[in-house]
Amino acid sequence: MDKQSGKDFDRPQYKRLVRRMKKDDLLYIKSIDRLGRNYGEILEQWRVLTKEKGIDIVVLDMPLLDTRRGKDLMGTFLSDIVLQVLSFVAENERVNIRQRQAEGIAAAKARGVRFGRPPRPLPENFHSAYQRWKAKKITGTAAAKECGMALSTFRYRAAIYENAKLL
């Protein structure tokens, strides 16, 4: 069972499945978009699984995509057409999802919604540690330690503090 996004095939459980499968195994897939959401990669993986590894695939919600039946030229032709259409639809849906997500984020930002964890308040001794650090009386590491934060956090918060003072 693979619970990771189908945006690509760089999924540990999928790779493990492909490694374990051998000729004449049968792979059941609930829906083609559960296999993947990238048109080219779906077609390539389908080819690798069916042609190179000799695996049969059954897509449960699309009976036309059952490689056990129709191994003649007409059956292969029909399943290839259906596969291409469904692969296109799966990738197109992923593009639409990403576009709707971007629009939602932009709308939320326009309403003033802030993303991420709110910053912690500055410690009581930040101003004095900052002043001594600016006056080169203590090192940045010592100032950060006094404030109970990492050096990179201290520098980041000091830059914000300086900009706030300039306003």
Side-chain angles (χ1 to χ4, degrees):
M1 185 179 290
D2 200 0
K3 296 189 179 189
Q4 219 172 341
S5 167
K7 71 180 175 124
D8 60 31
F9 287 89
D10 190 23
R11 306 185 309 252
Q13 290 293 72
Y14 177 76
K15 287 180 175 181
R16 186 171 164 222
L17 169 81
V18 172
R19 274 195 313 271
R20 287 185 167 193
M21 295 203 84
K22 52 194 176 303
K23 186 169 177 32
D24 296 327
D25 278 351
L26 179 59
L27 174 62
Y28 285 97
I29 301 170
K30 182 178 189 288
S31 175
I32 198 68
D33 66 342
R34 302 314 320 142
L35 178 62
R37 291 192 179 243
N38 180 306
Y39 177 77
E41 288 185 18
I42 291 173
L43 298 178
E44 175 60 19
Q45 287 300 310
W46 189 275
R47 185 193 63 74
V48 166
L49 293 172
T50 58
K51 305 284 190 285
E52 290 181 18
K53 286 200 160 264
I55 296 167
D56 280 319
I57 302 175
V58 176
V59 179
L60 296 174
D61 71 349
M62 184 54 61
L64 285 172
L65 290 177
D66 183 344
T67 61
R68 296 173 300 178
R69 289 185 264 133
K71 294 203 182 242
D72 62 339
L73 188 58
M74 180 59 83
T76 303
F77 173 72
L78 287 175
S79 65
D80 284 352
I81 288 174
V82 171
L83 176 64
Q84 288 192 20
V85 169
L86 293 177
S87 300
F88 170 79
V89 169
E91 181 170 349
N92 197 41
E93 180 59 20
R94 175 158 172 75
V95 168
N96 289 339
I97 288 169
R98 291 184 57 85
Q99 181 180 354
R100 287 191 298 266
Q101 178 187 31
E103 289 168 357
I105 290 170
K109 284 184 177 180
R111 289 191 315 269
V113 174
R114 293 190 52 146
F115 290 89
R117 184 171 57 186
R120 283 186 172 164
L122 288 174
E124 298 284 329
N125 62 342
F126 184 83
H127 179 73
S128 64
Y130 169 79
Q131 294 297 335
R132 288 181 294 147
W133 172 67
K134 276 310 245 185
K136 300 206 186 309
K137 293 181 181 173
I138 60 172
T139 64
T141 305
K145 194 170 192 174
E146 270 184 42
C147 294
M149 54 180 67
L151 177 59
S152 59
T153 304
F154 178 80
R155 287 183 178 153
Y156 174 74
R157 299 296 296 268
I160 294 171
Y161 187 74
E162 286 174 11
N163 288 337
K165 283 182 15 183
L166 294 175
L167 297 176

